[in-house]
Every structure is written in structure tokens, then in C-alpha cells.
Amino acid sequence: MDSQEVGALLDECLKAATGELATPSTQGAKLDYCRYRDLLCVELSSLLQEAVCMKWPFVPEKWQYKQSIHSHDKANLTDLISQHLAELLALLKAAILAREPQCAVAVIFLVDRFIYWTDESSQLLKITMRLHRLHPNTPVAPQLVIRQARVYLNAGKLQKAEFILSMLINNSGATGCWVYQSESDRALVQAVSVQVRGLVLQKLGLWSEAAELIWASLIGYYALPQPDKKGIGTSLGILANILVSMNEEDFSAFKSNSYSDLSILGNRTHRLLAAAEAAKMAVVYSQYASLYVLTNVVSQGTCLLSYSFSMECPAAERHVFLLQAKEAFEIGLLTKTEGEPVSSKQELHTFIKAAYSLGVTHKWLGTPLDAVVQATQACQEAMEKFYTYCHAETRDRDSLSADIMHLVARVKTLFRIKLFPNSNEGSFIPDSYRNVEERPARFTLDSFSQVIGRFRKYHASVCGATEADCSGKTGGLCITAMGTTVRTLPTDCTTENQKTQQDTKDKEPIKEKKPCSSFQPSLVQGCDLATTLGSAEYLSDVGFDKMASKGSDSGSGSSLGSSWQNVSPSCAGSPHLSSDGHAGNIVDVKKNTCHPSCLTTDVSTGESHAALASMDKGRNQGIHGPISDLSGPAGPSPTDDVTSPSHRGSDVDRFEMLETEEDWVGTDAPVGQVGPTGPGGVAHSLSQLNVTSSNSLNDSFGSQSSWEKISSSEPLSPDQPRLPGLSQPATGHGYKPPAHCGSGHPANQPKRSITPPGPGRPTGFVPEQYLTTETSTDSSFEMIENNMDPSDASTLSSTKPISLRKKNTSCYSCLKHSLVNGVVPQRQYVLTQQDYKALLAGVCHQCLMERLQSDRKKFKLEKYRSSHSALHVKFSRATGLWTAKETCVYVGEEMGQEGQQRAALWVQFLHQEERLSSYVGKDYRKPTGIQFHLRDVERQMTSQYYVTEFNKRLYDKEVTAQIFFIPSEVLLLLQGDEIVGCVTAEPFMLGDFVKLTNNTGKKVQGLQATEYGIAFGHFTYLYSECTEVVVDLQGWATANEKGLTYLTDPQIHSIQTPKGPSNFAERGLRYFLEDQHGPECNTICNLLKLPPMKRPKGL
């Protein structure tokens, strides 16, 4: 069956479940049901009966639990299902009409995995939900409940995914009416749930915590009476990807954990070699499933390729590891032959990644450039078609898939890939891979229970943050009962510069004002003006289809006099009734989007120094006016009763169903409404390699290093010190702030054991992360320190030559080369062979800035809906290193909205952490230097480093809340070997966006989430030895003030780095100490026993 036929049959089944089809007579429906059931083959009939009897919580593969595999065991369930999908879906429709819910849900159970890989899960889960509502006592398999969590993860609804997974883990897999046949089945459900939670943390960039969870799932799979080969292989593959991204410090801590017995990986001492071994083991464990072999062998090749560039790789062995990586990518490409249908988004993405990575490997092996160029161009074209595939109608996907695989086949031809010896029919791996040593893993269900117990406190807190209920259900997790009480979050405030302007306009004596450093919550209108404190964006209630084109109508209505006059905390749709009868705003992704973004940056224009001077003068006199007195005429004051039809009812509370029919659109939610114009509209790609170019790869490979020295006019400044605490032992006894900034000691720092953090909890469709937090010029809540232009790089920071500063012992450039031997390229942004090696091995922030910073060259994307070769660069605050991978990026449509400084756009790239998730790129509206993109990422990842330590303190005190900063990365777009563009990228998030604090003295009053934010600022001030504080906190928080909070685009006031437009340095620290935090600690500060903050001398 093709994709269009599958989609049509699922639509008919959904209509049958919703009562939209004409129902035949009861007797006729029964006869049809019996007829279709009898048409099933013997094997499917047996599987269906076992599913009805709840024999297993997950439909097993024949080879999954067997030690000795026979020829008939090598067939995969997906092959059986695909051959008989039409009969199964016909039976599903007949069972629904005949009111045979157990059989209907059992059919859904059987086809679920196949439908998921064909990207049609949203329809199938909608059918499941309808059936459960009509027949609440019908058991729903744990596999389907976890499938919903996976769909939420892919869609960016991490709060909902976390709740489902935590409930399953904490309640031993209880799923309502489902009856387990054994305790080992419960352990299996817990192991899968822990594994998917590991994917959540991987998406957040929390490598250490994710690795701990994945290892816990491995223990669970190994501990079963018959070890789960499929589960083991999947977890090993995920672990390999995590280890690639993890830094050496975290890897060392991970190895030292008492339960992490890495001997099953062969005691590989290097992180990347351990990752490669884990991936190879995953390949062997899953050798009879082509998709799993492809996925894991590409992970193995990526690990080997990365290791070949590491400084630990002996030069004499580098070629060997490149050959091993080449073999791995070739094995993946041979899992399908040209003409075989591929209907999985993940499979297509991984095929393109394998083809592109093979081209990169050949480049470094010295293959003639012409073949490499052609392969690169084929992969770029495939990326364009893949993006179109992801947004295409079902009827168009098959032809697009065939086009993509044809381009992949072209790469195979260019590099003359040959079949490998394989004596095991049905297996997709070569004989050379069968020598993987079977290492004993001595795990028991008791040991798995003990490991799960280490996370129980965290999972219990997540469960407690959401009250589930379901009529007709006595206990456990219900597929439709993830309702949660959600209070409207406040996002309304008058800005500080508005205050100054208003004071000037009205000529009121400043001393008549009263102190005011916070604002009160208020309800605000609709979702057509969703924004945050940091900007004056105006966002309309439009669909993603309207947001796809730049300059789309951003809505008509009121003009935005202030960024805080008209703000929506959520993009709720029309009121709906939840299962318990409460009216709530159910978010319909297709109808409500409001996709602003928080593009905080240290670049800003327009605000004069006089605003801050006036503000300081007011503070010194002890005078501020009440917010209500300062509101401009453009909108209501915070005390006004502002309502709209979608907000009427309770003043502060509303109910939202976590499981609604609208929510079950799943993987299509974030980007399903964005229809690309297709590759035909692209004139040319910025990143196509030009064979005749003087700056081609061939030329650059023959040039000398330019990494250490460039011609630059930027002045020099002192070196940026490392974060205090980096050198502390893993079991540190706490930090001692300097005498000048506080007294006393906080509680001891917890040991570096399992720290079960989790992601934030978005509770609706208001992903405001991508447009709105730069320091704006006219009506921003943030203040601007000086009237500085983004191009004025020299005033923001500078770098000290390598010879004059302390070297980073992990930095390639610091250790491998000297400044004297460096060669200045004629064009600064043409990368040489040594530049590539340095970036791929890892360079410190100072070296990177010295190489790429310029106050002359500025970048701005010229082309959208186009593919690019690129360097995907990540920053680790723990090591201070930037590390790159060569990748291919597709820059999609702009989201139709712009911030004061940056615009948001859809991006996809081959090395993104989650292949099925969406990512958002951020580009400056005006041409800007690369250094500003780098600082944006450095600032966010530094904040993530701080908050990880802060979470350990919260967890130690059994506080049911955790805070996380979503990861941000840099994509350097290339044309040949020249950098021609730069964007930052981060995962797409869904949920209600709230601003907690700004970068001066403002804060949301009355929310406990704000108290956590202020306590976090207090913590960072002490942890940094009174040198910096993280402010401007905004993101996604649960309105009931429990559970998890995601943050993005923070600002940091620091006296460690040069003063800038958003780094107010000493002044910023004063704002936090005196206004935002104030003289008295809040309850969270006191709970954590943080010592009081004192202003350092001279501040």
C-alpha cells in the first residue's frame, strides 16, 4: 500500500470512531466484522488473539528474546504488517462499527509500530483516544501510551511527554485496565519509559543525566528473564550518540558511577571509542531490522570520524579510523537497494546523513575532489526534497521518497560501494561485524529496581505536578486523563524605559514616585499579541501556513505602544469541555500558532545612556512610581480587567486537557502547517562546492594554518577566566564565596551521582521562544546600557593573543600551533585545512573569537528554502571548548515574525539531536558579525551549566521543581570552504511562554516560578564568586508552580567580561542585588540555605 491509501483508510477508521460514517445494522456490522477477522492469515490471527489477551505490553519481534535464531525468526513484524495492512485496517473499521472495542484496540496495537515509522501515528492515536472515550474499560497497551509520549517528544511538548513517562515509571507501568502477565513485563515498561526520558534529556543537551537514564534502561533490558535484544540495541545506539556530545569531565564522572559498569563496552578508555563500540554492539543486536542497523551504523561511523580528528588519536592510526568510518557509512547505505520503498522520515533522514558523511570521509581520505563535490551536491538536493517531504501531503510523499533515494543511490555510485560478505541470510551486517565479543552483563531485576529507586523522588514530583482523572477508571495512568489545572500566566508590565519616557513627558517630580521593582499578574487579551518582556513584537493569531512567507500579515488591530501593553500568555483556542466537564482552552495547532521567539542578544541599538542614569538617580533617591501610574495609553494597566471570549470564566484558573484530540496531531504539530515552496523556487544553493574556485577544498588543504592569527583591528582585553568550581572534585564540599561578597556557607554540594532533572513543562501552544527577547529600542522591558551598534564589536569584547594568555589544555589551537607560525589568509572567512582540524578537534572560546571575530565583515542570510554545507558547532561551558561536525543544513521559511534584532526560521540539519523533531534557527535582521552569534550560544550554555548545579541543590532539598535552559548551537554556512552565513539553532518548543524577570530590576510578582528564578540568580552570584548573575529569565513554566521550567535566551551581567549593551557589569549586579533580589532572601533562597549576598567593595 502506498502512503495515500494508508492515509485514506485511517481517515475512514477515524470517521467510524467519531460516528461520521453511516452505521450499518447491528447484524450487518457483526457479519462484516466476522468476515474481515476470518480473512486474516493464521499468524496474524494468533497475534491478534494474544494482543486481546494482553500477553505482552509490546508487540515482540521473533528474534527479540531468542538466543538461537533460526531462519523463520529473522522476519520482522513490520514486513508482516505491511503485507496485510489493508486487511488489518479494514478489520479495524469493521470492529469499530460492530462495537468490538477490544478487537479494535488490539488491531491498533499490532499496526502501531509500522504506522509510526510511516509518520501516520497522529491519526491512529486519535482513533485510540476516541475508542477509549467510548469504551473506557477497554485495556490500552502500554506501547500505545508510550507512543503518545514519543509523539509529544517529537512535537516539542516535553511537559506532556514527561508526565506520561514519569507516571509509568513511578507506578510500575500501571496503565488503567491493562493486566500484566508478570513482574518482568512491568520492568520492561519501566525500562522503555526510562529510555524515552533519556531521549528527552538528550534533546535538552543534558548529556550526563541522559546517559544515566539510558544506562538504567540497559540494566532493565539485560535483567529480564530473556534479555531484550531490541531494547538493548536501541539503548546502546542512543548511548553512543550521547557520548559523542558529552564532554570528558562528564564522561569521567559517568564511568565512576557505581552502577555504570562500562566493561560491556570493552573498557574503552576514550569517550569516542566507547561510543563507537556501543554503536557497533547496537548494530549486532539489531542486525535483522534494516532501520535499526542503518541508524546505529551511522552513529558508529560518526563516532569514528569524530575520533579521527581528536587530539588523542595517534597520527599513524588516523587513516585506519577513517577507513572504519567509511565502512560503517557504506553498510548503512546498503540496507536498502534502489527501488525499495522507504516511507519513514527517520529512515530517509538517516540515509541522507550516511551519504553526506561518507562524502566527508572520502574528502579526508583524499578521494578526487570532483566525486566529493558531486556527492555533496546530491545530498544538498536530497535535503531540499526531504524538507518538502516533511511538509507534503500524504499523496506526494511516495514520489518524494523515491527521488531522495535516487539521489542517495547516486552517491553510492560515485563512491563505487560494493556489497560486503554476508553469510547470514536475513541479516543486514557483514561477517566482519560478527566478531563482536559477547560480554557478560550481570544485572538482575532487583538491581534495576534499585536504580529506578534513585529517580523515584523526581518522578513522584512530576506526577504530583499534574492531577490526572478519568471517569470509569480506578487507578493508574489513563490515556485520556492527563488533565491538568493550568493557571493563566501573567506577562504584562510597563517597561523601565517607558517609565523614563513617561516621567519626562509628564514632567512629574521623580521624588513623588514610590518604589517599584516588580509587577502584578494580570489577565491579558487573546493570542494575537503574544510576546515577552524583552521586545515589542506584534504576533497575530495565524497558522503556520501564513507564517511561512516573510512579511505575512501579522494581524490587524491595535498598535503596540508598549511591548507590555497587549500580551498573551497563551495561544489558547476556543473553549472546550474536558472530560471532567470543566471548560478549558484547548489548543488547536492548526488554528492557533502565535510563534514569537525569544531572541535575546547582547547586541542592541537605540537606547541612550541617559535612561540608565535617570534610573540610577531615581534609585538613589528611593523613588519609583507604581506601574499603574506609568502605563501608556496603548493598553490597559495591570489592574484593568481585561477579558476576551476565550478567557472568560475564572480570573486566574482554567483547565487544559493534556490528552485532547487536537493534541494527538503529534508529530505534525510544530511544522505540519508550513508548506515549503519546494526546491524549484531556489535559484541556487549558497553551499554548493565550486570545483574551479580558488578557495576550493583542494586549495585549502594545501594551505598552512591560519587558525592562530588573523588581521584584526579589535583591541585586546584580559582573558576570560573559567567558571569557579570547574576544578572542584566531583564530591565537592560546597563553595565558599569570597569574603567581600557574602558570609556563611551553603549546604554541601551533592555528589555527582544520578541527578534526575527533566525538561520544562509547556502547557499549550505558545512557543514564544524564537522572536522576542532582544533589548529593544522603543518599548522594551530590558534596559540598554549604551547607544551601541551591533557592528561595534570592539566595545563588546576582545581577545588576547595566544602567546599572551593562559592556554586551554584541551584546545587544539592552544596546544598544536603557535601564533608565530600562523598564516593570515587573504580572506578571513576562508577555512584552511588546519582550521577544519582545529574546529573538529575542539578550540577554546578565545581562539575561536580570535580567528572569527571581525568588526568589518558582517553576515546576513541571502537565501531561504535552500540547502548548505555547514559546520555544526557546539559549546561546552565545562571545558570551554567549541567542537564542530561537518553537516548539511536546510534553511526553510521564515516564521513570519521578527524580533527587534533577530528573525526566526525553520531549519533542519543532519546532525540534530532528534531526527524527528523540529528546530528553529535565529538570524539577525541586519548584517552582523559572527561573534554575536557565538556569544548568544555561549551565554545560553553558560546559563545551562549554572542551572545544572542549581538543580542539584533543589533535588538535594527534595524540592519538586527543576529549571533547564534549552541547548543552543551555531551553524556556520559554507560555500566551498568560505563561511558565508551564520545562524543559531535550538529545539522547537511548545507551551505557554512567560517572562519571569528582566535584565534590570523587574520581576513577575506572585509566582513561585519567579522565586525560583531569583534564587537561581542568587546562586549564580555566589557560585561565580560574586562576579556574575544570570538574569532576564523567560520560557515555559507550569502555571501551578510545580514540576519543570524551561528557559531560553538569558542575559548575564558579569564583571569577568567586558561591559556591553546587555552586560551592565557592576551596574547590572547592583540592579539584581538591590532591586530584583532585594535585601531579603525569599523562601527558596532560605530553603537552599544560600548565604546572604553583600555588595562587593567598589560595586
Side-chain angles (χ1 to χ4, degrees):
M1 293 180 67
D2 61 28
S3 299
Q4 187 174 359
E5 292 173 319
V6 173
L9 285 174
L10 288 173
D11 286 340
E12 286 190 19
C13 292
L14 180 59
K15 290 178 180 178
T18 56
E20 297 179 37
L21 289 182
T23 307
S25 64
T26 303
Q27 184 176 2
K30 290 288 185 183
L31 289 174
D32 286 344
Y33 163 68
C34 293
R35 178 166 59 88
Y36 283 115
R37 186 188 59 189
D38 294 340
L39 287 175
L40 295 181
C41 65
V42 175
E43 188 173 5
L44 275 179
S45 294
S46 176
L47 281 172
L48 183 64
Q49 184 59 38
E50 290 176 344
V52 170
C53 296
M54 298 177 279
K55 184 175 181 180
W56 9 255
F58 300 91
V59 183
E61 300 286 357
K62 292 181 179 179
W63 50 266
Q64 191 168 349
Y65 297 99
K66 293 183 178 180
Q67 296 300 314
S68 179
I69 306 296
H70 301 287
S71 58
H72 63 275
D73 296 323
K74 298 174 184 177
N76 284 287
L77 179 66
T78 54
D79 298 328
L80 177 65
I81 297 298
S82 65
Q83 294 170 15
H84 301 279
L85 186 60
E87 300 121 85
L88 286 167
L89 293 182
L91 175 60
L92 173 59
K93 176 183 172 182
I96 293 171
L97 294 175
R99 297 186 180 276
E100 294 286 345
Q102 280 192 303
C103 179
V105 174
V107 172
I108 292 173
F109 186 15
L110 291 182
V111 303
D112 162 66
R113 190 174 296 133
F114 177 84
I115 295 296
Y116 178 68
W117 292 123
T118 58
D119 310 313
E120 295 286 351
S121 273
S122 59
Q123 287 290 80
L124 195 65
L125 292 174
K126 284 181 182 179
I127 297 168
T128 309
M129 179 181 177
R130 280 290 186 176
L131 290 173
H132 183 73
R133 283 186 170 179
L134 294 171
H135 311 281
N137 293 320
T138 300
V140 176
Q143 176 176 314
L144 294 174
V145 179
I146 293 177
R147 179 71 64 215
Q148 181 61 70
R150 290 183 186 273
V151 168
Y152 279 147
L153 168 61
N154 297 337
K157 301 180 181 180
L158 301 190
Q159 176 194 11
K160 300 181 180 185
E162 275 279 49
F163 175 68
I164 294 174
L165 300 169
S166 293
M167 286 286 285
L168 289 170
I169 296 168
N170 200 53
N171 297 327
S172 300
T175 58
C177 304
W178 186 268
V179 178
Y180 285 98
Q181 303 299 315
S182 65
E183 287 302 310
S184 62
D185 284 347
R186 290 181 180 273
L188 175 60
V189 171
Q190 287 181 303
V192 176
S193 300
V194 168
Q195 180 193 79
V196 180
R197 268 216 68 231
L199 290 173
V200 173
L201 298 189
Q202 180 189 11
K203 185 172 184 175
L204 287 173
L206 300 172
W207 319 119
S208 180
E209 293 80 2
E212 291 170 348
L213 287 172
I214 296 302
W215 192 263
S217 71
L218 277 171
I219 294 174
Y221 292 133
Y222 274 116
L224 297 174
Q226 292 295 328
D228 182 351
K229 291 183 178 180
K230 183 179 175 184
I232 293 170
T234 302
S235 284
L236 284 171
I238 297 169
L239 180 63
N241 291 329
I242 292 171
L243 293 181
V244 169
S245 299
M246 183 183 288
N247 62 60
E248 297 297 338
E249 179 182 307
D250 286 341
F251 179 62
S252 178
F254 175 61
K255 288 193 301 182
S256 65
N257 282 331
S258 59
Y259 65 92
S260 298
D261 182 10
L262 297 189
S263 62
I264 64 171
L265 302 181
N267 289 317
R268 307 289 182 184
T269 56
H270 194 277
R271 169 179 53 87
L272 293 172
L273 292 181
E277 183 66 13
K280 187 173 183 179
M281 291 175 63
V283 172
V284 176
Y285 272 111
S286 57
Q287 62 182 288
Y288 303 109
S290 62
L291 174 59
Y292 292 97
V293 170
L294 169 65
T295 301
N296 294 321
V297 83
V298 170
S299 295
Q300 182 200 9
T302 302
C303 298
L304 293 168
L305 187 60
S306 296
Y307 180 72
S308 71
F309 292 106
S310 70
M311 289 191 291
E312 292 81 6
C313 178
E317 298 180 20
R318 181 169 175 268
H319 188 78
V320 174
F321 285 106
L322 285 172
L323 289 175
Q324 292 178 8
K326 170 179 168 290
E327 180 189 31
F329 295 130
E330 289 176 344
I331 292 170
L333 291 172
L334 289 171
T335 55
K336 290 283 186 183
T337 60
E338 188 173 5
E340 283 190 79
V342 177
S343 56
S344 164
K345 187 184 298 184
Q346 175 173 328
E347 196 165 13
L348 287 171
H349 182 277
T350 311
F351 267 118
I352 302 171
K353 182 177 180 180
Y356 187 86
S357 299
L358 180 62
V360 170
T361 307
H362 271 281
K363 177 186 72 174
W364 290 101
L365 284 170
T367 299
L369 185 62
D370 182 60
V372 175
V373 169
Q374 292 184 53
T376 301
Q377 292 173 341
C379 292
Q380 289 173 355
E381 186 178 346
M383 278 295 287
E384 294 175 1
K385 291 184 178 294
F386 178 71
Y387 185 84
T388 305
Y389 173 93
C390 293
H391 305 85
E393 297 291 336
T394 303
R395 63 178 178 271
D396 300 325
R397 290 183 180 175
D398 290 326
S399 61
L400 287 168
S401 174
D403 290 344
I404 292 169
M405 292 306 296
H406 178 71
L407 291 166
V408 170
R410 185 187 302 173
V411 175
K412 293 162 65 175
T413 301
L414 283 168
F415 295 128
R416 302 177 182 178
I417 298 178
K418 298 179 180 179
L419 294 175
F420 45 76
N422 181 10
S423 58
N424 188 350
E425 186 179 356
S427 171
F428 291 91
I429 66 173
D431 290 338
S432 59
Y433 270 54
R434 305 188 200 286
N435 60 1
V436 173
E437 181 183 351
E438 187 85 20
R439 304 179 186 95
R442 300 178 180 86
F443 300 121
T444 65
L445 289 177
D446 286 340
S447 62
F448 177 63
S449 179
Q450 292 174 9
V451 172
I452 289 294
R454 300 170 68 97
F455 303 94
R456 194 169 303 280
K457 181 170 59 176
Y458 167 78
H459 294 126
S461 70
V462 174
C463 297
T466 311
E467 297 106 25
D469 184 29
C470 180
S471 57
K473 175 180 167 301
T474 58
L477 182 65
C478 173
I479 201 165
T480 64
M482 294 161 207
T484 176
T485 302
V486 179
R487 187 177 67 195
T488 301
L489 290 170
T491 53
D492 192 14
C493 179
T494 300
T495 67
E496 193 70 50
N497 51 338
Q498 279 182 301
K499 173 187 184 302
T500 303
Q501 295 166 2
Q502 186 73 20
D503 287 348
T504 303
K505 179 179 178 181
D506 297 341
K507 297 182 179 180
E508 295 177 359
I510 296 179
K511 58 184 178 182
E512 293 179 7
K513 304 294 182 181
K514 297 179 181 180
C516 178
S517 61
S518 61
F519 58 92
Q520 299 296 328
S522 67
L523 290 176
V524 291
Q525 287 190 5
C527 69
D528 57 334
L529 292 175
T531 185
T532 67
L533 294 174
S535 68
E537 280 75 43
Y538 179 77
L539 294 169
S540 62
D541 183 11
V542 295
F544 276 118
D545 52 340
K546 295 182 180 180
M547 297 171 68
S549 61
K550 183 177 180 180
S552 61
D553 183 13
S554 60
S556 60
S558 61
S559 61
L560 207 64
S562 161
S563 63
W564 278 97
Q565 298 305 324
N566 293 292
V567 186
S568 172
S570 71
C571 285
S574 302
H576 294 262
L577 288 177
S578 62
S579 59
D580 56 4
H582 292 89
N585 289 322
I586 307 303
V587 177
D588 187 341
V589 174
K590 295 182 180 181
K591 296 179 180 178
N592 299 277
T593 56
C594 295
H595 200 299
S597 178
C598 299
L599 304 181
T600 303
T601 175
D602 59 1
V603 183
S604 184
T605 60
E607 188 65 36
S608 69
H609 184 74
L612 285 176
S614 174
M615 183 175 166
D616 274 348
K617 182 178 180 182
R619 178 189 293 104
N620 294 337
Q621 295 178 8
I623 44 173
H624 285 280
I627 295 295
S628 58
D629 293 339
L630 300 175
S631 297
S637 69
T639 56
D640 291 340
D641 181 16
V642 182
T643 59
S644 68
S646 64
H647 285 89
R648 290 191 182 118
S650 170
D651 287 337
V652 294
D653 292 332
R654 71 173 186 266
F655 290 90
E656 177 196 87
M657 286 296 295
L658 286 181
E659 298 282 345
T660 66
E661 291 174 70
E662 292 81 356
D663 280 335
W664 288 63
V665 297
T667 53
D668 297 330
V671 295
Q673 307 306 315
V674 184
T677 59
V682 180
H684 63 274
S685 171
L686 287 175
S687 54
Q688 290 179 346
L689 296 176
N690 187 348
V691 182
T692 61
S693 170
S694 61
N695 298 311
S696 67
L697 182 68
N698 192 34
D699 292 333
S700 74
F701 267 39
S703 62
Q704 299 181 22
S705 171
S706 63
W707 185 257
E708 297 74 36
K709 181 179 179 181
I710 62 170
S711 177
S712 175
S713 61
E714 292 88 344
L716 303 179
S717 70
D719 187 24
Q720 178 180 344
R722 289 173 62 85
L723 177 69
L726 286 180
S727 59
Q728 293 175 355
T731 57
H733 300 291
Y735 52 88
K736 179 180 179 180
H740 69 271
C741 67
S743 60
H745 299 273
N748 288 346
Q749 296 186 32
K751 295 181 179 180
R752 293 179 63 92
S753 58
I754 295 180
T755 303
R761 305 183 61 80
T763 57
F765 188 63
V766 192
E768 304 194 24
Q769 115 207 45
Y770 309 110
L771 287 178
T772 62
T773 63
E774 306 87 353
T775 47
S776 62
T777 60
D778 297 325
S779 57
S780 168
F781 188 53
E782 283 83 4
M783 296 297 295
I784 312 302
E785 180 66 351
N786 290 303
N787 186 16
M788 301 178 69
D789 188 90
S791 64
D792 190 8
S794 61
T795 62
L796 294 176
S797 73
S798 55
T799 57
K800 180 179 290 188
I802 295 176
S803 59
L804 301 179
R805 57 181 167 83
K806 184 177 180 181
K807 294 183 179 181
N808 185 325
T809 56
S810 300
C811 172
Y812 179 97
S813 188
C814 285
L815 298 184
K816 294 287 186 179
H817 300 278
S818 68
L819 185 64
V820 176
N821 295 328
V823 176
V824 180
Q826 292 182 352
R827 298 167 67 183
Q828 178 183 354
Y829 292 100
V830 175
L831 301 179
T832 68
Q833 183 182 25
Q834 290 301 325
D835 292 335
Y836 278 105
K837 288 182 177 180
L839 280 166
L840 296 172
V843 294
C844 67
H845 182 72
Q846 290 292 327
C847 287
L848 185 64
M849 294 297 286
E850 183 174 345
R851 177 63 178 86
L852 296 181
Q853 178 171 307
S854 173
D855 59 355
R856 298 185 299 274
K857 178 66 174 178
K858 301 177 182 180
F859 294 91
K860 175 74 177 70
L861 283 179
E862 299 294 337
K863 292 287 184 181
Y864 297 91
R865 297 187 294 276
S866 59
S867 58
H868 311 258
S869 287
L871 288 173
H872 172 214
V873 194
K874 294 182 178 181
F875 178 69
S876 168
R877 184 62 178 86
T879 62
L881 293 181
W882 293 85
T883 307
K885 289 186 179 67
E886 295 178 82
T887 192
C888 187
V889 177
Y890 185 85
V891 176
E893 294 85 357
E894 290 184 290
M895 291 180 173
Q897 306 297 335
E898 293 184 344
Q900 289 294 313
Q901 298 293 336
R902 292 188 289 181
L905 54 143
W906 296 109
V907 295
Q908 284 181 320
F909 51 102
L910 293 179
H911 290 77
Q912 62 191 47
E913 292 295 335
E914 283 295 314
R915 285 156 296 190
L916 298 180
S917 295
S918 300
Y919 282 73
V920 173
K922 301 176 184 179
D923 185 33
Y924 281 93
R925 294 172 57 191
K926 297 179 180 180
T928 308
I930 284 181
Q931 61 266 25
F932 295 104
H933 293 278
L934 297 175
R935 290 195 193 95
D936 291 339
V937 171
E938 184 206 20
R939 183 171 55 247
Q940 188 147 330
M941 300 311 292
T942 297
S943 299
Q944 184 192 70
Y945 176 85
Y946 278 134
V947 87
T948 301
E949 296 299 322
F950 180 68
N951 284 335
K952 295 175 184 178
R953 277 60 173 182
L954 292 176
Y955 189 75
D956 237 21
K957 297 297 181 181
E958 301 190 5
V959 177
T960 59
Q962 297 276 278
I963 303 174
F964 303 98
F965 284 92
I966 61 176
S968 181
E969 301 153 351
V970 173
L971 297 171
L972 299 177
L973 308 182
L974 303 174
Q975 181 176 343
D977 298 319
E978 183 176 5
I979 299 174
V980 294
C982 181
V983 296
T984 58
E986 59 188 50
F988 178 91
M989 300 287 291
L990 286 170
D992 287 333
F993 196 92
V994 63
K995 184 90 168 184
L996 301 177
T997 67
N998 78 332
N999 63 351
T1000 56
K1002 297 296 183 183
K1003 58 186 176 183
V1004 173
Q1005 192 80 315
L1007 283 183
Q1008 192 176 23
T1010 303
E1011 292 198 20
Y1012 283 105
I1014 298 299
F1016 170 58
H1018 184 163
F1019 172 84
T1020 60
Y1021 180 72
L1022 297 175
Y1023 196 76
S1024 66
E1025 297 184 343
C1026 308
T1027 60
E1028 56 190 18
V1029 62
V1030 180
V1031 296
D1032 196 18
L1033 304 181
Q1034 56 211 332
W1036 301 262
T1038 51
N1040 57 13
E1041 301 170 13
K1042 300 178 182 179
L1044 311 171
T1045 299
Y1046 288 159
L1047 299 175
T1048 186
D1049 288 330
Q1051 297 289 350
I1052 299 179
H1053 296 316
S1054 175
I1055 58 176
Q1056 297 186 32
T1057 56
K1059 188 177 182 180
S1062 63
N1063 173 20
F1064 300 170
E1066 294 88 349
R1067 187 193 300 268
L1069 296 181
R1070 266 204 322 275
Y1071 287 153
F1072 179 78
L1073 294 175
E1074 297 176 2
D1075 293 340
Q1076 212 165 80
H1077 183 281
E1080 300 294 331
C1081 283
N1082 64 31
T1083 55
I1084 307 303
C1085 297
N1086 292 329
L1087 179 64
L1088 298 179
K1089 298 182 179 179
L1090 298 177
M1093 295 187 299
K1094 293 182 180 180
R1095 181 192 292 190
K1097 295 180 180 179
L1099 186 64

